[in-house]
Amino acid sequence: CGGSVSNSSGMLQSPNYPGNYPNNADCVWEIQVENNFRVTLTFRDIAMQSGTCQHDYIEVYDGPLHSSPLLGRFCSGSFPTYVSTSNMMTLRFHSDSRNSFRGFQAHYSSIPTDHNTTILCLPDYMHVVVRRDYLQSQGYSAQRVTLNDNRCRPTVTSQEVVFNIPYDGCGTTREESSDTINYSNTIRVASSGFIIKRKKNIHLHIGCKMLRKTWQQVMYAAEDTVEVNEYQFGRYDMNITFYDSSAFQRQVRSSPYFIDLNQNLYLQACLHSSDPNLKVVVDTCVASPDPHDFNTLAYDIVRNGCPRDPSYATYRSPYSHFARFKFNAFEFISRHPSVYLKCQMRVCRLGDYSSQCHRGCRTRAKRDTSSAEEKVDVVVGPLQLREGGAQSRSTS
């Protein structure tokens, strides 16, 4: 149960609904809609153990689970409606080991924000647009709009004032939470007048909160094997590319990528971000014949920074935004034509020696001590078994 939800609208419900939900469930749904939209969530049915809501309950958060305000916690009563202040909301459902009931059903949708400023959280910068007719209606000039660093000037068109604000410049500040790395700046609109003024200055506080979990996948297939406060939530942009050798000079551009069993596969993960103070390492890579199920039949190549496959190895990278590693191609079972690899990359603050990027393999799951960590999951491929590649089984 739970997961990431990105459609503009949809239905959420407890496991087995309208049948009784299971005991000891803990489901978390992250609802993230388009930039400059908000989430509205309306409950249509609630049937749970009533009382103090200590045993079974629903929680709604105004953003990510661990770093956002709690909008409500309940287990019975009327059917509430919640509206987020950004483009993200989190719904959590919890049940204990005792009684079980029908549970809940809720509908969510996205609604446009009724503001005069729009924000896009791009990989390298914040793209911010302020409408000129809004400034003019308040009696302000588009020529008097600046950032924290007034040397960074906007592009002024006939209808808009446009800023492309880097994450590591123009006065952008950075803060960290358990769920996000937050970048913020202030657009300042000064009142005109050389000696006196009667209008207040406007401060538009804008920011991007880069989320901890962004999943992509690596896939290969073997044919016969296997202030005005404006915040938006974004995700780090990460990709993984195959290379033909440990020199990491020539990318594999063919698709599909034809491989032999037991062949060395060289991969490089690259984080696309203008923030130079970030470091990337490989956290977990899991292989499966089903791209939608990495639990039923799965094989760990590396887990929590600990190698599980003897052929797995990492390489030194020339830049902190790169992570290089390899493993040997393998087959699952002949009835499975494809192998999918889902890798989770960890993004940490460069120089933070308390982070998992520097601590390496961790044998026990525990709460990370560093708050400046993000997790990014990546999928690439496909790879297919080369004609006659099955002959290489004798060498494995």
Side-chain angles (χ1 to χ4, degrees):
C1 62
S4 297
V5 179
S6 58
N7 294 329
S8 60
S9 64
M11 196 76 68
L12 302 177
Q13 57 193 28
S14 52
N16 302 330
Y17 182 89
N20 285 7
Y21 52 77
N23 292 326
N24 300 312
D26 198 51
C27 311
V28 176
W29 290 269
E30 287 186 345
I31 309 169
Q32 184 179 2
V33 297
E34 292 184 48
N35 281 298
N36 305 300
F37 280 74
R38 296 182 181 184
V39 182
T40 177
L41 178 69
T42 301
F43 286 84
R44 297 181 171 181
D45 186 21
I46 303 172
M48 301 170 62
Q49 184 175 358
S50 60
T52 59
C53 301
Q54 294 297 313
H55 306 291
D56 300 352
Y57 55 83
I58 299 168
E59 293 178 332
V60 179
Y61 291 86
D62 191 14
L65 177 65
H66 298 294
S67 61
S68 301
L70 178 66
L71 296 177
R73 174 176 171 145
F74 53 93
C75 57
S76 61
S78 59
F79 301 158
T81 294
Y82 297 98
V83 179
S84 66
T85 59
S86 70
N87 62 325
M88 187 173 183
M89 179 184 286
T90 300
L91 171 64
R92 181 190 180 197
F93 167 74
H94 175 82
S95 67
D96 67 1
S97 59
R98 300 181 182 180
N99 300 323
S100 180
F101 298 86
R102 188 170 67 246
F104 78 91
Q105 186 180 69
H107 179 267
Y108 79 89
S109 61
S110 59
I111 56 175
T113 57
D114 188 23
H115 287 316
N116 298 289
T117 304
T118 58
I119 304 173
L120 290 178
C121 299
L122 301 175
D124 294 324
Y125 56 88
M126 294 181 279
H127 179 74
V128 184
V129 178
V130 183
R131 291 168 47 191
R132 286 193 69 174
D133 58 2
Y134 162 68
L135 296 174
Q136 292 168 356
S137 68
Q138 302 298 313
Y140 295 95
S141 168
Q143 308 303 322
R144 299 182 65 83
V145 181
T146 64
L147 288 175
N148 281 340
D149 185 344
N150 57 19
R151 293 172 297 180
C152 297
R153 308 299 302 176
T155 299
V156 180
T157 70
S158 60
Q159 295 182 328
E160 300 171 334
V161 179
V162 182
F163 284 96
N164 290 324
I165 308 171
Y167 294 126
D168 64 337
C170 292
T172 299
T173 59
R174 167 184 167 147
E175 295 180 349
E176 301 149 8
S177 74
S178 58
D179 288 318
T180 59
I181 295 180
N182 308 328
Y183 304 94
S184 60
N185 209 312
T186 302
I187 296 177
R188 304 174 185 275
V189 186
S191 174
S192 59
F194 294 101
I195 299 177
I196 64 170
K197 66 178 183 179
R198 290 191 169 93
K199 286 183 176 293
K200 295 180 179 179
N201 295 335
I202 296 178
H203 289 176
L204 299 174
H205 300 283
I206 48 93
C208 285
K209 300 183 178 183
M210 306 305 286
L211 286 168
R212 176 177 181 173
K213 294 180 180 178
T214 302
W215 294 86
Q216 293 182 347
Q217 294 181 171
V218 181
M219 184 272 279
Y220 71 79
E223 286 297 323
D224 63 348
T225 61
V226 248
E227 291 226 349
V228 178
N229 289 303
E230 291 286 348
Y231 286 96
Q232 299 293 328
F233 289 94
R235 297 184 182 271
Y236 282 117
D237 184 14
M238 182 88 68
N239 76 289
I240 289 183
T241 307
F242 287 100
Y243 282 78
D244 65 355
S245 74
S246 60
F248 292 94
Q249 292 181 346
R250 290 195 302 268
Q251 294 185 14
V252 176
R253 299 186 182 278
S254 60
S255 181
Y257 178 20
F258 291 95
I259 53 103
D260 295 320
L261 292 178
N262 207 37
Q263 174 182 332
N264 286 329
L265 300 179
Y266 303 97
L267 301 95
Q268 175 176 276
C270 177
L271 171 67
H272 300 282
S273 173
S274 64
D275 187 345
N277 299 307
L278 299 177
K279 178 179 176 63
V280 178
V281 298
V282 184
D283 184 89
T284 297
C285 282
V286 181
S288 168
D290 184 345
H292 307 294
D293 182 1
F294 285 85
N295 296 305
T296 304
L297 179 60
Y299 176 71
D300 285 355
I301 296 171
V302 55
R303 168 76 61 177
N304 297 329
C306 304
R308 299 290 181 86
D309 183 278
S311 68
Y312 173 81
T314 59
Y315 294 87
R316 293 180 62 88
S317 301
Y319 305 105
S320 63
H321 282 198
F322 291 168
R324 293 173 170 178
F325 59 103
K326 58 86 67 173
F327 68 95
N328 289 6
F330 58 88
E331 60 180 345
F332 265 98
I333 302 173
S334 59
R335 70 175 183 269
H336 297 294
S338 301
V339 176
Y340 296 82
L341 183 67
K342 186 175 185 179
C343 290
Q344 184 176 84
M345 312 302 296
R346 186 177 289 268
V347 181
C348 307
R349 188 179 62 205
L350 188 64
D352 181 4
Y353 295 99
S354 67
S355 72
Q356 197 59 51
C357 289
H358 293 278
R359 292 200 302 266
C361 173
R362 60 195 191 281
T363 56
R364 291 187 303 169
K366 60 182 181 179
R367 186 174 181 86
D368 294 328
T369 57
S370 173
S371 61
E373 297 185 12
E374 309 288 322
K375 292 180 180 178
V376 184
D377 295 329
V378 189
V379 177
V380 294
L383 292 88
Q384 293 183 353
L385 189 68
R386 183 180 287 117
E387 292 282 339
Q391 297 176 358
S392 63
R393 297 180 189 178
S394 60
T395 65
S396 59

